[in-house]
Amino acid sequence: SCLCGSAPCLLCGCCPSTKNSTISRLLFTFFLFLGTLVSVIMIIPGVEKELHKLPGFCEGSGSVLGVQPRVDCSSFLGHKAVYRMGFAMAAFFCLFAALMVCVRSSKDPRAALQNGFWFFKFLVLVGITVGAFYIPDGAFTSVWFYFGVVGSFLFILIQLVLLIDFAHSWSQRWLRNAGESSARGWYAALCTVTFTFYATSIAAVALLYIYYTKPEGCTEGKAFISINLILCLVVSVVSILPKVQEAQPHSGLLQASLITLYTIYVTWSALANVPTRRCNPTLLVRNSTGSATAPEPLTAWWDAPSIVGLVIFTLCTLFISLRSSDHPQVNKLMLTEESGPGAGAGSAGAAEEGGVRRAYDNEQDGVSYSYTFFHLCLLLAALYIMMTLTNWYRPDESLQVLRSPWTAVWVKISSSWAGLLLYLWTLVAPLVLPDRDFS
């Protein structure tokens, strides 16, 4: 039942008794991960060279909006395939976001589309994907790049909200355990993790100065690293100020160290997109013949920042799918709640009906999460992974050379500043707005 709705399913006996809402979120996330896996396979050099054999993929390269009357189909096949796969996943989740607007409970007929018919939804995703590969070249890649930039920026902000919430929850849980058991081991663990995060951040900053700056020039890189380093020091100091500690006893250096480490990662990812060879040793410029100007042979499109970004994307997407926050304000922002109004309604009877474990309906009185917002999050995640797998590169006006634009640099740096300001606000908000309850 967890896979096929009300239809019989051989896998039903393998599924534990689980909330219908949780199963639905996990399966939609599985669709996203499946599309991501296909995208990763398509950018593997050996597979990329064979993409021209796909029917229609290299056809129909006629003029679009008067741009580029004919495009060489051999150029950037993996890049174009990832863009079309990203478009297909975004269109799929956009479709369900529109269909699920204002669904209040599982009694709404549209809720059955959310929680069942998985085989048919898979066919819809496959159909949209096949159609996406027939999109003609021309302006599509250049225009879709900017959709990806905007969507990725928004998803990075969602990642920052989740990271800040995770840091607060982590610190509160460990401090609560230390207070209940009076064990010094929890405090030692807090200190060890905090020291490790800060030590890693300091080492990373030193490496960024060494590899992404020069004694003369590279002013932008020096400015980005220095500004973010200063901002990280500011939020670390603010987190342990007496007044902040009095207003928020659970705030401390653990959260600040985690935010600092993530900020340094985003800075590294931004510097890896600086389009100046002298200031960016990892810069890749690839022409239409597939050759690349790089110090050593290339084995994949993605570099170290992209791999780290893929891991963070996976963890944050699972976070969205599996659990809600310990803090009501984050739940309100994300429009999710672990136990919805109908949680547990008929759950025991459904779980034991016929002696078979099954996914039971816990949303008869009200949904436990916003269907539309959940699909919008997955839509933004699809755009983010599309940009990550292509290193945020885009073709030039002739569609013959793939370059890294300054747009990617500024989007990533802006997101790091937004994250630091957001975390700083969580620290000072109880002082600025003393009449509000931030417990």
Side-chain angles (χ1 to χ4, degrees):
S1 64
C2 63
L3 294 177
C4 306
S6 59
C9 181
L10 294 177
L11 294 179
C12 186
C14 302
C15 298
S17 179
T18 312
K19 298 175 182 177
N20 214 16
S21 59
T22 303
I23 291 294
S24 298
R25 284 183 284 180
L26 284 176
L27 288 177
F28 275 114
T29 303
F30 171 76
F31 282 175
L32 177 63
F33 288 164
L34 183 63
T36 301
L37 178 62
V38 173
S39 299
V40 170
I41 292 174
M42 286 181 173
I43 58 176
I44 296 175
V47 177
E48 180 184 12
K49 295 178 181 178
E50 302 297 324
L51 288 177
H52 68 279
K53 297 180 180 179
L54 290 176
F57 188 44
C58 280
E59 299 174 1
S61 299
S63 176
V64 179
L65 301 179
V67 178
Q68 189 64 23
R70 184 164 184 79
V71 180
D72 182 10
C73 290
S74 64
S75 60
F76 322 124
L77 290 178
H79 182 274
K80 294 193 294 184
V82 172
Y83 265 48
R84 280 156 176 76
M85 195 67 217
F87 174 83
M89 290 191 293
F92 176 77
F93 292 120
C94 181
L95 171 64
F96 276 90
L99 289 176
M100 298 301 152
V101 172
C102 296
V103 174
R104 303 300 183 188
S105 71
S106 60
K107 297 177 182 178
D108 191 312
R110 292 175 294 168
L113 294 176
Q114 173 76 6
N115 300 316
F117 303 101
W118 294 105
F119 176 73
F120 298 102
K121 284 188 280 195
F122 177 75
L123 292 182
V124 169
L125 178 59
V126 171
I128 295 176
T129 302
V130 172
F133 277 83
Y134 283 91
I135 298 176
D137 292 313
F140 170 77
T141 302
S142 300
V143 173
W144 191 242
F145 168 82
Y146 291 102
F147 279 91
V149 166
V150 175
S152 299
F153 178 79
L154 296 176
F155 186 73
I156 290 175
L157 293 182
I158 293 177
Q159 283 185 332
L160 291 167
V161 172
L162 298 176
L163 183 68
I164 294 172
D165 170 59
F166 173 75
H168 280 294
S169 301
W170 185 4
S171 177
Q172 288 185 14
R173 186 169 291 108
W174 280 20
L175 289 175
R176 188 185 308 118
N177 292 339
E180 292 175 354
S181 61
S182 300
R184 296 182 179 180
W186 291 106
Y187 293 109
L190 276 172
C191 294
T192 301
V193 172
T194 302
F195 175 79
T196 301
F197 285 166
Y198 274 123
T200 304
S201 301
I202 294 172
V205 168
L207 292 174
L208 291 180
Y209 275 118
I210 293 173
Y211 289 103
Y212 290 92
T213 64
K214 299 294 181 183
E216 297 181 0
C218 301
T219 306
E220 297 88 354
K222 295 176 183 176
F224 292 152
I225 299 172
S226 301
I227 291 174
N228 281 357
L229 179 59
I230 293 173
L231 291 176
C232 289
L233 290 175
V234 170
V235 296
S236 298
V237 172
V238 171
S239 67
I240 56 175
L241 289 177
K243 289 188 176 181
V244 173
Q245 288 284 311
E246 181 181 353
Q248 295 197 58
H250 293 291
S251 68
L253 291 178
L254 176 63
Q255 299 95 314
S257 64
L258 183 58
I259 299 301
T260 297
L261 184 61
Y262 182 79
T263 300
I264 299 304
Y265 155 71
V266 176
T267 307
W268 173 35
S269 180
L271 294 177
N273 279 108
V274 171
T276 305
R277 166 67 61 180
R278 184 169 178 269
C279 304
N280 181 8
T282 61
L283 182 65
L284 168 67
V285 178
R286 189 173 182 180
N287 59 30
S288 60
T289 63
S291 62
T293 58
E296 57 184 15
L298 297 165
T299 58
W301 271 110
W302 12 277
D303 51 8
S306 298
I307 294 174
V308 176
L310 181 61
V311 173
I312 296 175
F313 150 81
T314 303
L315 295 177
C316 287
T317 307
L318 288 175
F319 189 94
I320 294 173
S321 303
L322 287 175
R323 68 178 292 272
S324 296
S325 170
D326 292 336
H327 302 282
Q329 290 142 349
V330 177
N331 280 333
K332 185 177 180 180
L333 174 65
M334 303 297 293
L335 300 179
T336 60
E337 187 173 350
E338 192 63 28
S339 297
S347 59
E352 300 298 332
E353 181 181 351
V356 179
R357 295 177 297 176
R358 54 173 298 173
Y360 58 86
D361 184 5
N362 64 312
E363 299 178 308
Q364 295 178 358
D365 297 328
V367 296
S368 61
Y369 66 100
S370 170
Y371 292 172
T372 296
F373 187 79
F374 173 71
H375 288 298
L376 288 177
C377 286
L378 295 188
L379 186 157
L380 298 178
L383 295 177
Y384 173 80
I385 200 60
M386 179 188 75
M387 300 303 295
T388 299
L389 293 179
T390 58
N391 284 347
W392 295 65
Y393 284 18
R394 69 175 176 86
D396 64 356
E397 289 75 9
S398 64
L399 300 182
Q400 298 299 310
V401 179
L402 203 60
R403 300 184 184 276
S404 177
W406 276 104
T407 305
V409 180
W410 282 107
V411 167
K412 294 179 180 181
I413 287 296
S414 300
S415 67
S416 69
W417 293 341
L420 289 170
L421 292 177
L422 183 61
Y423 175 63
L424 183 63
W425 172 249
T426 65
L427 295 176
V428 303
L431 302 177
V432 177
L433 302 173
D435 296 333
R436 291 188 57 183
D437 181 18
F438 291 93
S439 58

